[in-house]
Amino acid sequence: MTSFRNLVLIIAAVFIVSGCLGEDKTITMKVASTAYTSQVSQTSEHPFLGAWGDELKPGIKSIAVSRDLIPKGLTHNTKVKIEGLQGEYLVKDKMNKRWTNKIDIYMGLDKEAAKEWGKREVTITFEKKSD
């Protein structure tokens, strides 16, 4: 009976400690958005390489984020829903330090799609991971 009681106490302690570590939190915010492609003129000398070292391929759903959004939870590989677009996008790139409160949606090699997107304010939703 004592070993069963100890086991129950251990399990309860694990649940209590887990709760203290925090839970994921859904964040919704408005940001400026633009679109970019893998053109040297729009990126760097390595147009298919994201700032975290990920290979960017036409057809993937990814975004670059302004660096001020990273501490707010938009870290590498965070899944993001973007108002007006289907599915989830992964954070795979960082923007130049001059940008704030902004995302850049990856359009592969489709310059026309990027131009059509233009610049708009969108609402994004993502899960901020607990620390």
Side-chain angles (χ1 to χ4, degrees):
M1 185 68 165
T2 304
S3 61
F4 177 75
R5 183 176 152 200
N6 289 342
L7 179 61
V8 170
L9 289 173
I10 290 170
I11 292 171
V14 168
F15 279 111
I16 291 169
V17 170
S18 296
C20 292
L21 294 176
E23 297 177 11
D24 291 352
K25 178 179 172 186
T26 301
I27 307 267
T28 299
M29 65 172 67
K30 287 187 183 257
V31 295
S33 73
T34 52
Y36 74 111
T37 65
S38 285
Q39 307 291 329
V40 173
S41 62
Q42 292 185 6
T43 59
S44 68
E45 60 192 46
H46 304 289
F48 292 97
L49 186 64
W52 274 291
D54 295 290
E55 183 180 358
L56 302 175
K57 297 178 184 177
I60 68 167
K61 291 184 174 190
S62 81
I63 61 173
V65 296
S66 57
R67 293 166 191 257
D68 64 313
L69 296 177
I70 296 168
K72 295 179 180 179
L74 283 171
T75 59
H76 184 234
N77 285 327
T78 298
K79 293 178 183 175
V80 181
K81 291 186 181 181
I82 303 169
E83 168 191 49
L85 296 177
Q86 295 284 325
E88 292 181 323
Y89 287 72
L90 290 175
V91 176
K92 293 287 187 184
D93 207 354
K94 301 179 217 178
M95 298 172 73
N96 186 290
K97 293 176 187 172
R98 72 177 176 260
W99 300 112
T100 58
N101 200 45
K102 184 176 178 184
I103 65 169
D104 215 0
I105 302 165
Y106 182 64
M107 300 281 182
L109 294 169
D110 194 341
K111 289 193 272 186
E112 288 306 312
K115 284 181 187 177
E116 186 178 312
W117 181 263
K119 181 179 181 180
R120 358 177 152 177
E121 184 176 79
V122 294
T123 300
I124 60 172
T125 305
F126 60 95
E127 297 293 323
K128 181 177 181 181
K129 306 293 182 223
S130 44
D131 298 330

